[in-house]
Amino acid sequence: GSRLRSQASSVQVKMLRVAVLFATVATAASFGYIAESGTISGGAWHVWNESTGVAEVAPSMCTDDVAVGDMVDDSCCDIDAWLGLVMGDFFVPYTCMALQLGSGVVRAYANCEDGTFTYGETCAEEGEDYPFPSTANTTELTMITETSAECGCADVIQGSGCFRANDVGDGRQFFVELGMCT
């Protein structure tokens, strides 16, 4: 009796998880994550982290006289040397995603625009304070948009390769490795 109910309950939970997975994929497909011009593939954040001793400081060729959005040598995004965070872990099904970073909440963008991998940072709508306060509701700030402009991104990077990204002022140095649209 009780064991049978427990097994039935376990099956129902598994079925619910599968239904949620399919709903998430369907939502992503219908709202633009899987854009007409393709799906992002291979995007990652790479963080050189001198503040915690997890990894070394990025080589000077990656940071000296390099502006946000500049393409840098692929070694600046060498995931074998230090921590890399996969964008797909964050941008499914949303394209305009808010997350806690440093002492505040930031919003970033990743999607395919006209067949080109497009990544945006410093994304805020006109009149919004940025970065958002640490108490900001990330769910309310996260959305699905078709373009980086709709997400309000001030810094936009397009193409494939390793690029300098914005730092957050805590000793970490950020780079993004953009892949392709498939």
Side-chain angles (χ1 to χ4, degrees), residues 17-35:
R17 287 180 183 155
V18 169
V20 168
L21 173 65
F22 282 116
T24 300
V25 170
T27 300
S30 64
F31 284 108
Y33 180 76
I34 301 172

Side-chain angles (χ1 to χ4, degrees), residues 107-172:
R107 187 164 52 200
Y109 169 88
N111 201 4
C112 288
E113 290 184 19
D114 298 322
T116 303
F117 195 124
T118 303
Y119 173 75
E121 292 184 326
T122 318
C123 304
E125 295 176 21
E126 192 172 323
E128 289 180 317
D129 289 332
Y130 193 87
F132 304 103
S134 61
T135 57
N137 184 330
T138 57
T139 303
E140 290 176 4
L141 293 170
T142 296
M143 61 188 109
I144 297 170
T145 63
E146 289 293 322
T147 67
S148 56
E150 289 174 14
C151 187
C153 302
D155 299 313
V156 178
I157 302 168
Q158 291 188 301
S160 296
C162 182
F163 299 88
R164 185 73 165 102
N166 283 296
D167 296 332
V168 294
D170 64 358
R172 294 181 288 176

Side-chain angles (χ1 to χ4, degrees), residues 32-118:
Y33 180 76
I34 301 172
E36 288 181 19
S37 58
T39 303
I40 60 171
S41 174
W45 283 287
H46 298 280
V47 184
W48 291 85
N49 193 349
E50 68 177 330
S51 63
T52 62
V54 172
E56 300 175 6
V57 176
S60 61
M61 70 175 181
C62 300
T63 58
D64 290 355
D65 299 320
V66 178
V68 170
D70 285 352
M71 184 179 272
V72 294
D73 189 83
D74 286 345
S75 65
C76 302
C77 289
D78 183 1
I79 197 165
D80 293 332
W82 38 273
L83 178 64
L85 301 171
V86 178
M87 287 185 182
D89 292 344
F90 294 99
F91 291 104
V92 175
Y94 304 100
T95 55
C96 185
M97 187 75 175
L99 57 134
Q100 185 76 39
L101 186 64
S103 61
V105 171
V106 298
R107 187 164 52 200
Y109 169 88
N111 201 4
C112 288
E113 290 184 19
D114 298 322
T116 303
F117 195 124
T118 303

